Amino acid sequence: MTPKKQATVVMEQNILNSDNEQLVELINSLVNTKQDELFTKYKAKAESQLESDHELIESLQAELKAKDDKIEALLEELSSLKQDSSMEFASPIRKKASGRLSQDELAKERQNICFTLDMIELLTGVKVINFENNSEEYIFDIKQSSSVRSGLTMYYQLVLASSPNPEINYIPTFLDALEGEEVEDYENAKILQKLLPDYLCENLSFPFDTLAQFYGKVNRALNRK
């Protein structure tokens, strides 16, 4: 059996014979018991654990908020898709409004519009092959074909300003082929140079309300026998 440790007995003589440093050490030995040391260690460990738990909780809260935000964004997107699943659509090729169309019906109507544009090309020889716009202007890339000369095609741009009562700027882009490497396009451009009036081989501007007259002049020049 382990013998009990005897308590330290402090005699008056010990105090009288001790210097200041020894007195401090003696007092500490009497005040700081083993229980005090254990409590201090436990307190430090508990504070460290609390700080660690606090950081973990903050991290989990941030992660939870991020997931909540993502869920909310997905719900908004889903709601938007549901609203767009049927929409009011005014078809440019029908006299009556098409009403609400499903996505499949809208896709079908787009095919019908493309078919109509192809029909217009067959009737007039004119096709818009590209369209771009910005805050200042609308740019149409046009392809116009001859109905009497097989393969003869004229490419040009019509640039329309977005201001009221705009003028149209005509740019004969078919002339670019004269500097290109495509033999067929080059020969096509040379034929057009000989066939077209001089004013159609250079940039020009004309009022918007005379566009039909411009088309008529180009059409007559391309189909001249």
Side-chain angles (χ1 to χ4, degrees), residues 9-55:
V9 179
V10 181
M11 305 297 293
E12 182 179 357
Q13 190 64 32
N14 297 121
I15 297 174
L16 294 175
N17 294 334
S18 300
D19 56 20
N20 290 339
E21 185 177 348
Q22 290 173 331
L23 283 174
V24 171
E25 185 178 350
L26 180 61
I27 292 171
N28 286 336
S29 68
L30 295 174
V31 174
N32 295 329
T33 63
K34 188 67 174 178
Q35 289 79 0
D36 292 332
E37 293 177 6
L38 291 174
F39 176 76
T40 301
K41 291 180 180 180
Y42 172 77
K43 181 180 178 182
K45 183 177 180 180
E47 289 176 348
S48 175
Q49 185 64 43
L50 286 173
E51 184 177 356
S52 177
D53 291 345
H54 180 69
E55 292 176 354

Side-chain angles (χ1 to χ4, degrees), residues 54-197:
H54 180 69
E55 292 176 354
L56 178 60
I57 290 172
E58 285 187 339
S59 175
L60 291 174
Q61 287 176 337
E63 184 178 351
L64 181 61
K65 185 179 184 305
K67 290 183 177 180
D68 286 341
D69 292 342
K70 186 175 182 179
I71 291 173
E72 185 175 352
L74 290 173
L75 289 174
E76 290 180 359
E77 184 178 353
L78 180 61
S79 176
S80 176
L81 289 174
K82 287 182 178 179
Q83 292 176 1
D84 292 341
S85 61
S86 60
M87 60 186 69
E88 200 74 27
F89 177 72
S91 174
I93 61 173
R94 300 183 187 275
K95 291 183 178 180
K96 295 182 179 180
S98 303
R100 291 194 172 274
L101 299 179
S102 67
Q103 291 294 329
D104 291 339
E105 291 171 333
L106 182 58
K108 181 65 176 177
E109 189 66 10
R110 286 172 178 163
Q111 292 179 359
N112 293 334
I113 293 172
C114 290
F115 175 75
T116 303
L117 293 175
D118 290 340
M119 178 64 71
I120 293 174
E121 181 184 3
L122 290 173
L123 292 171
T124 64
V126 176
K127 182 176 184 178
V128 177
I129 58 176
N130 188 48
F131 168 73
E132 296 179 8
N133 71 299
N134 53 47
S135 60
E136 297 180 352
E137 60 188 13
Y138 303 92
I139 303 171
F140 299 85
D141 287 300
I142 309 293
K143 170 187 172 184
Q144 188 163 344
S145 303
S146 172
S147 59
V148 298
R149 295 172 181 261
S150 178
L152 184 62
T153 303
M154 178 180 174
Y155 293 92
Y156 56 90
Q157 270 189 351
L158 296 180
V159 181
L160 176 65
S162 58
S163 58
N165 302 318
E167 283 199 334
I168 294 180
N169 294 313
Y170 160 79
I171 304 172
T173 54
F174 69 88
L175 294 174
D176 295 342
L178 296 175
E179 300 178 0
E181 298 180 355
E182 292 291 335
V183 176
E184 185 176 348
D185 293 341
Y186 177 85
E187 293 177 351
N188 182 80
K190 294 296 289 185
I191 294 173
L192 289 172
Q193 270 190 316
K194 295 178 180 179
L195 187 66
L196 298 175

